[in-house]
Amino acid sequence: MIWNTRITKMTNTQYPIIMGAFAIIGRAEFAAAFSNAGGLGIITALNFRTNEEFQEEIDKMKKLTNKPYGVNFTVWPPQVRQRSERAQSEESYFDFVDIALDADVKVITTSAYKAAKIGKKVHDAGCVWFHKSATVKHAISAEKVGADAVTIVGLEGTGFKNPNQNTTLVNMTMARKLIKVPLIAAGGIGDARGFLAALAMGADAVCFGSAIMATKESPASETWKKQVLYQDIFDEKFYKKIYHLELRDSPIGSMACGHVNEETTIKQFIEDIIANAEEILRRWGFEGNKITIF
Ligand SMILES: Cc1cc2nc3c(=O)[nH]c(=O)nc-3n(C[C@H](O)[C@H](O)[C@H](O)COP(=O)(O)O)c2cc1C
């Protein structure tokens, strides 16, 4: 089946599937595998310290894939920057943004805090800018300052949390009414039903985070992968981290891990999502060979 949405059109990807930004593991091998499997792989810039290191990663990516990919710039909020010297501001990324744009990276994503200056640089280079936020309110602000698409992370997701966060269901259905640019749903999605549900709720694409941490190409440690594969979703720590904003810096994934029981390749993961989604659509009576969501 052909999957056609505003995001596949904007990114030139086969599927409306986007890789999450990942501290520590968002590197070229992982991102290239994701892009080669038909999604939009993402290199996460905060994992690199110097211009040379970042340039090397981009060069590596070019060798590993000829498919579209993006680079994420996670901008830390001022209160986090006060606590940590290593937390990046928007300005501290400018050299990396230039390196990515010079290397012809077409999609730049930003997240966590305001990033309109990066957005402007991206637009000046004729590329697209996606911004990720934890609330619909911040997504509206991002649209106002020019983001070409917004990702909203539901309360079910891991990563940066916000006390005013809503669920993916509320985010997507509400944002669909309030926001014109394409939407990307993130948070708690780990199988074909979650994928289809997000599209039905108004998303133009789906972002996978926790669910792909234990794939073969993920550079996560074996311990970390085991934590995903064997995570008891009824364990209290899940609720503490995901819903009660505790265990802040612990590397606990979201409930999306509950859908993952074996270490597959990224290709297998994405193929399973698509094959199962298509099977569900057929069971629901969909007979076409092209699904168009605009
Ligand atoms: C290990 C890990 C590291 C992450 N690091 C970042 C990051 O540096 N920047 C960011 O914007 N999001 C980060 N995220 C969040 C993901 O990009 C994505 O928004 C989130 O995982 C979606 O929710 P899910 O885990 O339920 O799929 C991270 C997620 C995980 C699991």
Short mmCIF file of all heavy atoms in Angstrom, two decimals, residues 64-92:
data_model
loop_
_atom_site.label_atom_id
_atom_site.label_comp_id
_atom_site.label_asym_id
_atom_site.label_seq_id
_atom_site.Cartn_x
_atom_site.Cartn_y
_atom_site.Cartn_z
N LEU A 64 26.03 5.77 4.67
CA LEU A 64 25.14 4.67 5.09
C LEU A 64 23.77 4.71 4.44
O LEU A 64 23.05 3.71 4.42
CB LEU A 64 24.98 4.69 6.62
CG LEU A 64 26.24 4.40 7.43
CD1 LEU A 64 25.98 4.68 8.91
CD2 LEU A 64 26.66 2.95 7.25
N THR A 65 23.37 5.88 3.95
CA THR A 65 22.03 5.95 3.33
C THR A 65 21.98 7.03 2.26
O THR A 65 22.67 8.05 2.36
CB THR A 65 20.94 6.24 4.38
OG1 THR A 65 19.66 6.16 3.76
CG2 THR A 65 21.08 7.59 5.06
N ASN A 66 21.16 6.74 1.25
CA ASN A 66 20.87 7.81 0.29
C ASN A 66 19.41 8.25 0.43
O ASN A 66 18.86 8.91 -0.42
CB ASN A 66 21.19 7.37 -1.15
CG ASN A 66 20.45 6.10 -1.51
OD1 ASN A 66 19.60 5.65 -0.75
ND2 ASN A 66 20.75 5.52 -2.66
N LYS A 67 18.81 7.84 1.53
CA LYS A 67 17.41 8.19 1.80
C LYS A 67 17.36 9.48 2.64
O LYS A 67 18.34 9.85 3.27
CB LYS A 67 16.74 7.05 2.59
CG LYS A 67 16.65 5.74 1.81
CD LYS A 67 15.50 5.82 0.87
CE LYS A 67 15.04 4.60 0.19
NZ LYS A 67 15.80 3.62 -0.37
N PRO A 68 16.17 10.12 2.65
CA PRO A 68 16.08 11.34 3.44
C PRO A 68 16.27 11.08 4.94
O PRO A 68 15.89 10.02 5.43
CB PRO A 68 14.63 11.82 3.20
CG PRO A 68 14.10 10.99 2.10
CD PRO A 68 14.92 9.75 1.99
N TYR A 69 16.88 12.04 5.60
CA TYR A 69 17.02 11.94 7.05
C TYR A 69 17.01 13.35 7.64
O TYR A 69 17.07 14.34 6.90
CB TYR A 69 18.31 11.20 7.43
CG TYR A 69 19.59 11.91 7.09
CD1 TYR A 69 20.23 12.72 8.02
CD2 TYR A 69 20.14 11.79 5.83
CE1 TYR A 69 21.41 13.37 7.71
CE2 TYR A 69 21.32 12.45 5.50
CZ TYR A 69 21.93 13.25 6.44
OH TYR A 69 23.08 13.92 6.12
N GLY A 70 16.94 13.43 8.93
CA GLY A 70 16.92 14.74 9.57
C GLY A 70 17.92 14.82 10.71
O GLY A 70 18.53 13.81 11.10
N VAL A 71 18.10 16.03 11.22
CA VAL A 71 18.96 16.23 12.40
C VAL A 71 18.12 16.96 13.45
O VAL A 71 17.39 17.90 13.12
CB VAL A 71 20.21 17.06 12.05
CG1 VAL A 71 21.00 17.38 13.32
CG2 VAL A 71 21.10 16.33 11.06
N ASN A 72 18.21 16.48 14.69
CA ASN A 72 17.49 17.13 15.79
C ASN A 72 18.42 18.00 16.63
O ASN A 72 19.54 17.60 16.96
CB ASN A 72 16.84 16.08 16.71
CG ASN A 72 16.33 16.73 18.00
OD1 ASN A 72 17.02 16.78 19.02
ND2 ASN A 72 15.13 17.25 17.96
N PHE A 73 17.91 19.16 16.97
CA PHE A 73 18.59 20.05 17.91
C PHE A 73 17.70 20.22 19.13
O PHE A 73 16.66 20.87 19.05
CB PHE A 73 18.89 21.40 17.24
CG PHE A 73 19.83 21.25 16.08
CD1 PHE A 73 19.34 21.09 14.78
CD2 PHE A 73 21.20 21.21 16.27
CE1 PHE A 73 20.20 20.91 13.71
CE2 PHE A 73 22.07 21.03 15.20
CZ PHE A 73 21.57 20.88 13.91
N THR A 74 18.08 19.57 20.19
CA THR A 74 17.31 19.68 21.44
C THR A 74 17.83 20.88 22.21
O THR A 74 18.98 20.90 22.64
CB THR A 74 17.49 18.40 22.28
OG1 THR A 74 17.07 17.28 21.50
CG2 THR A 74 16.66 18.46 23.56
N VAL A 75 16.98 21.88 22.33
CA VAL A 75 17.38 23.13 23.01
C VAL A 75 16.89 23.06 24.45
O VAL A 75 15.70 22.89 24.71
CB VAL A 75 16.73 24.35 22.30
CG1 VAL A 75 17.11 25.64 23.02
CG2 VAL A 75 17.14 24.40 20.83
N TRP A 76 17.82 23.16 25.35
CA TRP A 76 17.44 23.00 26.76
C TRP A 76 16.82 24.27 27.31
O TRP A 76 17.31 25.37 27.05
CB TRP A 76 18.68 22.64 27.59
CG TRP A 76 19.30 21.36 27.18
CD1 TRP A 76 20.12 21.17 26.10
CD2 TRP A 76 19.16 20.09 27.80
NE1 TRP A 76 20.49 19.85 26.02
CE2 TRP A 76 19.93 19.17 27.06
CE3 TRP A 76 18.48 19.64 28.92
CZ2 TRP A 76 20.03 17.83 27.40
CZ3 TRP A 76 18.57 18.30 29.26
CH2 TRP A 76 19.34 17.42 28.51
N PRO A 77 15.78 24.14 28.10
CA PRO A 77 15.17 25.32 28.72
C PRO A 77 16.16 25.99 29.67
O PRO A 77 17.04 25.33 30.23
CB PRO A 77 13.99 24.73 29.52
CG PRO A 77 13.79 23.36 28.99
CD PRO A 77 15.10 22.89 28.46
N PRO A 78 16.05 27.33 29.87
CA PRO A 78 17.02 28.06 30.71
C PRO A 78 17.19 27.46 32.09
O PRO A 78 18.31 27.39 32.60
CB PRO A 78 16.41 29.47 30.81
CG PRO A 78 15.45 29.56 29.68
CD PRO A 78 15.01 28.19 29.31
N GLN A 79 16.09 26.97 32.69
CA GLN A 79 16.24 26.42 34.06
C GLN A 79 17.14 25.18 34.08
O GLN A 79 17.83 24.92 35.05
CB GLN A 79 14.88 26.17 34.73
CG GLN A 79 13.97 25.19 34.06
CD GLN A 79 13.06 25.83 32.99
OE1 GLN A 79 13.44 26.82 32.38
NE2 GLN A 79 11.91 25.23 32.75
N VAL A 80 17.14 24.41 32.99
CA VAL A 80 18.02 23.23 32.93
C VAL A 80 19.45 23.69 32.65
O VAL A 80 20.41 23.17 33.23
CB VAL A 80 17.56 22.25 31.81
CG1 VAL A 80 18.49 21.05 31.72
CG2 VAL A 80 16.13 21.80 32.05
N ARG A 81 19.58 24.73 31.81
CA ARG A 81 20.92 25.23 31.50
C ARG A 81 21.62 25.77 32.74
O ARG A 81 22.83 25.69 32.86
CB ARG A 81 20.84 26.32 30.41
CG ARG A 81 20.45 25.75 29.06
CD ARG A 81 20.98 26.60 27.92
NE ARG A 81 20.57 27.98 27.96
CZ ARG A 81 19.44 28.45 27.43
NH1 ARG A 81 18.61 27.61 26.82
NH2 ARG A 81 19.16 29.71 27.47
N GLN A 82 20.83 26.31 33.66
CA GLN A 82 21.43 26.82 34.91
C GLN A 82 22.05 25.68 35.72
O GLN A 82 23.02 25.86 36.42
CB GLN A 82 20.36 27.49 35.76
CG GLN A 82 20.15 28.94 35.39
CD GLN A 82 18.88 29.51 36.01
OE1 GLN A 82 18.30 28.90 36.90
NE2 GLN A 82 18.46 30.65 35.53
N ARG A 83 21.44 24.48 35.60
CA ARG A 83 21.91 23.34 36.40
C ARG A 83 23.08 22.61 35.74
O ARG A 83 23.85 21.95 36.39
CB ARG A 83 20.76 22.32 36.59
CG ARG A 83 19.65 22.77 37.50
CD ARG A 83 18.87 21.57 38.02
NE ARG A 83 18.42 20.65 36.99
CZ ARG A 83 17.20 20.67 36.46
NH1 ARG A 83 16.32 21.55 36.85
NH2 ARG A 83 16.85 19.79 35.53
N SER A 84 23.15 22.71 34.42
CA SER A 84 24.17 21.91 33.73
C SER A 84 24.90 22.72 32.67
O SER A 84 24.27 23.31 31.78
CB SER A 84 23.48 20.69 33.08
OG SER A 84 24.29 20.17 32.07
N GLU A 85 26.21 22.71 32.75
CA GLU A 85 27.01 23.45 31.77
C GLU A 85 26.92 22.84 30.39
O GLU A 85 27.15 23.47 29.38
CB GLU A 85 28.48 23.41 32.20
CG GLU A 85 28.86 24.57 33.08
CD GLU A 85 30.30 24.46 33.52
OE1 GLU A 85 31.08 23.80 32.83
OE2 GLU A 85 30.60 25.03 34.57
N ARG A 86 26.62 21.55 30.37
CA ARG A 86 26.62 20.85 29.08
C ARG A 86 25.30 21.01 28.32
O ARG A 86 25.15 20.54 27.20
CB ARG A 86 26.91 19.36 29.29
CG ARG A 86 28.35 19.13 29.73
CD ARG A 86 28.70 17.67 29.73
NE ARG A 86 28.62 17.08 28.40
CZ ARG A 86 28.81 15.81 28.14
NH1 ARG A 86 29.08 14.99 29.10
NH2 ARG A 86 28.73 15.35 26.91
N ALA A 87 24.32 21.64 28.96
CA ALA A 87 23.01 21.78 28.31
C ALA A 87 23.07 22.86 27.23
O ALA A 87 23.48 23.99 27.49
CB ALA A 87 21.96 22.13 29.35
N GLN A 88 22.67 22.51 26.03
CA GLN A 88 22.82 23.42 24.90
C GLN A 88 21.74 24.50 24.81
O GLN A 88 20.58 24.22 25.01
CB GLN A 88 22.81 22.64 23.57
CG GLN A 88 24.09 21.88 23.31
CD GLN A 88 24.06 20.47 23.87
OE1 GLN A 88 23.35 20.19 24.83
NE2 GLN A 88 24.84 19.61 23.28
N SER A 89 22.18 25.69 24.45
CA SER A 89 21.24 26.77 24.13
C SER A 89 21.02 26.73 22.62
O SER A 89 21.74 26.05 21.89
CB SER A 89 21.85 28.11 24.52
OG SER A 89 22.97 28.36 23.69
N GLU A 90 20.08 27.53 22.16
CA GLU A 90 19.81 27.57 20.72
C GLU A 90 21.06 28.06 19.96
O GLU A 90 21.48 27.46 18.98
CB GLU A 90 18.62 28.52 20.48
CG GLU A 90 18.12 28.47 19.06
CD GLU A 90 16.95 29.41 18.81
OE1 GLU A 90 16.64 30.26 19.66
OE2 GLU A 90 16.34 29.29 17.73
N GLU A 91 21.66 29.13 20.49
CA GLU A 91 22.82 29.73 19.81
C GLU A 91 24.00 28.77 19.72
O GLU A 91 24.74 28.77 18.75
CB GLU A 91 23.28 31.01 20.53
CG GLU A 91 22.35 32.20 20.39
CD GLU A 91 21.10 32.09 21.27
OE1 GLU A 91 21.07 31.19 22.16
OE2 GLU A 91 20.16 32.87 21.08
N SER A 92 24.16 27.94 20.77
CA SER A 92 25.33 27.06 20.79
C SER A 92 25.30 26.04 19.65
O SER A 92 26.30 25.40 19.35
CB SER A 92 25.43 26.33 22.14
OG SER A 92 24.40 25.37 22.24
#
